[in-house]
Amino acid sequence: MSFFNKVLASVGIGGTKVDTKLERDTLVPGETVRGIVEITGGSTEQTIDSIYLSLNTVYLKESNDKKYSVTTAIDRFKISDPFLIKPNEKKEIPFSFRLPLDTPVTIGRTKVWLSTGLDIKNAVDPTDTDYVRVLPNKGMSAILSAVEDLGFRLREADCEQASYRLKRRLPFVQEFEYVPVSGRFRGRLDELEVVMFPGEGGEIEVLMQVDRRARGLGGFLSEALSMDESNVRLLVTQSDLPAVRDKIMAVIERYS
């Protein structure tokens, strides 16, 4: 290798390419993600310090009464130790990891993607981006379906900065915002916000904000003082799923 080629490699012009191929791109939190990373050497020999996969999403953060989007890593996985890639050489690195339970589902404007990167010392690191579809698990699906069965329509689903009270491992929570369009809660509620935290045992901690519709002078006063909202916490286990609609309805009834 000539000195000129060494210089080209050190500034990232060696041309090493990376491409990630997933076994499936539709997933459920808690499932195992499998795939391979294909690395193709460029015009020069290069040392790859590591290959990493980063699972990412975007959430809304508020500052000075303005909202802006922030990209954050849900998790990061190292899948290789240092190795040498020769010119035009092809390598395949298999990988598997568990999709974190707190990965947001890709409903509404929420997007989740996997970015693959090679750490190459003193070089511009090549990366690859792959979007994935994340579906709610069985318990989450049952909860969201129950809310819709009660006459609510999903208005939007967003990842937003978590308040101190709601913060867990990640700096955001995924909020599902519903409006009542039919049934017993139409005219009684303005909206219903739902946040879910799946647990390792299949249980789901559900937080609901029941926003009551203002009624009369006293109602408007309550609304102005932000007294029209009730924050409710309940735990839904696997054994609760057959009757989860009734459980949620009872809670909303109590606070609406």
Side-chain angles (χ1 to χ4, degrees):
M1 184 191 302
S2 70
F3 174 75
F4 182 62
N5 278 342
K6 287 181 182 177
V7 173
L8 287 180
S10 71
V11 295
I13 310 175
T16 300
K17 295 179 181 177
V18 58
D19 184 25
T20 297
K21 296 182 178 179
L22 297 172
E23 188 178 275
R24 291 184 297 116
D25 61 3
T26 299
L27 303 155
V28 172
E31 282 189 334
T32 299
V33 183
R34 293 185 176 87
I36 59 169
V37 176
E38 293 182 347
I39 307 106
T40 304
S43 58
T44 62
E45 185 178 90
Q46 288 183 297
T47 298
I48 311 300
D49 293 327
S50 68
I51 302 176
Y52 58 87
L53 300 173
S54 181
L55 188 68
N56 311 291
T57 192
V58 171
Y59 70 95
L60 294 174
K61 191 172 183 178
E62 190 169 340
S63 179
N64 298 322
D65 295 325
K66 290 184 179 179
K67 285 190 175 183
Y68 57 96
S69 298
V70 177
T71 299
T72 189
I74 299 165
D75 216 334
R76 185 179 167 102
F77 311 91
K78 181 181 176 183
I79 64 168
S80 82
D81 292 320
F83 64 93
L84 196 69
I85 186 87
K86 295 178 181 178
N88 302 315
E89 181 184 7
K90 291 190 176 182
K91 283 184 180 287
E92 288 188 354
I93 310 289
F95 66 84
S96 66
F97 64 86
R98 187 183 185 218
L99 192 68
L101 286 175
D102 50 6
T103 302
V105 298
T106 51
I107 294 176
R109 291 179 289 190
T110 303
K111 289 182 172 57
V112 175
W113 68 94
L114 198 64
S115 58
T116 311
L118 306 184
D119 278 337
I120 304 175
K121 198 170 293 181
N122 300 321
V124 178
D125 299 340
T127 57
D128 178 45
T129 299
D130 299 275
Y131 283 91
V132 294
R133 184 181 179 210
V134 182
L135 303 178
N137 64 24
K138 179 183 176 182
M140 296 168 71
S141 290
I143 292 166
L144 296 178
S145 294
V147 172
E148 291 183 357
D149 286 347
L150 290 171
F152 291 89
R153 174 178 57 81
L154 183 66
R155 180 157 61 190
E156 63 181 355
D158 267 327
C159 292
E160 299 197 7
Q161 182 180 15
S163 64
Y164 177 79
R165 183 176 62 87
L166 295 183
K167 194 171 182 180
R168 301 291 196 275
R169 183 180 73 90
L170 297 173
F172 67 86
V173 293
Q174 186 171 30
E175 292 184 358
F176 298 86
E177 186 178 299
Y178 287 91
V179 290
V181 294
S182 63
R184 62 201 304 159
F185 299 111
R186 184 182 178 187
R188 293 170 61 183
L189 299 180
D190 279 334
E191 64 181 20
L192 177 72
E193 291 186 3
V194 179
V195 173
M196 294 179 286
F197 295 107
E200 289 291 344
E203 74 284 359
I204 300 174
E205 181 184 4
V206 182
L207 305 180
M208 292 192 297
Q209 188 175 81
V210 182
D211 191 348
R212 295 186 291 274
R213 182 178 292 276
R215 301 181 187 88
L217 186 59
F220 283 117
L221 179 61
S222 294
E223 193 168 70
L225 296 174
S226 297
M227 294 169 60
D228 60 320
E229 295 177 349
S230 296
N231 296 305
V232 187
R233 184 188 304 262
L234 69 149
L235 189 68
V236 176
T237 65
Q238 290 293 305
S239 60
D240 291 326
L241 294 185
V244 69
R245 180 184 180 276
D246 293 338
K247 184 170 185 173
I248 291 174
M249 182 174 67
V251 170
I252 299 174
E253 280 279 9
R254 182 179 175 186
Y255 292 96
S256 63

